[in-house]
Amino acid sequence: MDEELRSLTERLRQESHGAAGYQRLVATDDPDELAEVLVAAGQPLWARELAAFRLGVAGDRRAFEALVLLLNHRDPPRCASAAHALARLGDPRTARAAAALATNELRVAYALHPVRLLVELRAPESVPALITTLQRRLRPHDPYRRVALACVEGLGELGDARARTVLTEALAHPALAESAAHALTRLPPGR
């Protein structure tokens, strides 16, 4: 069992209080049974999360919508497990959805995992979304430094010269300066 699945199943076992439905969802190898949980009325959140995660890591695109909703959840562990599954899902809509979540100012408090997912995906949407999100975080007294730092680190990892301007601006922010300087060294030489 991979570490992410082990962590998820332990968390959801506690949340479900070990319900019989939990054991069934952990044990089943039937993707249709898992997919049914995503559309059936009255399913608890833990059941939907477990089913979506298992389908997602198996590459079953029926999990896409549920995983995107979980990626934008207020509970960081749910966001992390959704990002993990989405990165393995292989759905071409994933990067666009992650970019929309990362750049949504109304949900910026939950943008950390979409930002990290964009870096992992290395999709065409990744650099523009990270630049946009970071530019907005460079305002005075912005409370979302973790999101800003994830953008800085991600832009360095992606190594795209389009990030040079915003990373240079980030140097003026003490909480970001060291990471921004490191990220700038990872960009290709340019003006």
Side-chain angles (χ1 to χ4, degrees), residues 80-186:
S81 69
H84 180 85
L86 281 165
R88 282 137 191 88
L89 180 60
D91 192 302
R93 302 171 290 175
T94 300
R96 197 170 349 142
L101 293 174
T103 59
N104 182 343
E105 277 300 289
L106 299 175
R107 302 289 294 171
V108 69
Y110 311 109
L112 182 62
H113 291 284
V115 164
R116 290 178 177 165
L117 176 58
L118 284 166
V119 175
E120 186 173 352
L121 293 173
R122 297 182 166 281
E125 297 88 346
S126 298
V127 171
L130 268 60
I131 288 171
T132 297
T133 303
L134 180 56
Q135 285 171 330
R136 293 173 180 167
R137 305 287 59 86
L138 296 179
R139 298 179 189 141
H141 312 293
D142 184 85
Y144 305 108
R145 285 293 167 217
R146 290 186 64 211
V147 173
L149 185 58
C151 288
V152 167
E153 292 170 346
L155 288 168
E157 187 173 325
L158 293 171
D160 190 303
R162 293 176 290 175
R164 187 173 313 284
T165 300
V166 73
L167 289 172
T168 301
E169 292 171 21
L171 291 171
H173 297 263
L176 304 174
E178 184 178 338
S179 293
H182 178 70
L184 282 165
T185 67
R186 299 180 77 182

Side-chain angles (χ1 to χ4, degrees), residues 17 33 35 52 54 64 69 76 87 110 121 150 152 156-157 163:
H17 304 291
E33 184 178 353
R54 293 204 52 216
F64 176 76
L69 288 172
Y110 311 109
L121 293 173
V152 167
E157 187 173 325

Side-chain angles (χ1 to χ4, degrees), residues 27-35 54-55 62:
T28 187
D29 289 327
D30 182 0
D32 292 334
E33 184 178 353
L34 293 169
R54 293 204 52 216
L55 287 169
R62 292 178 288 184

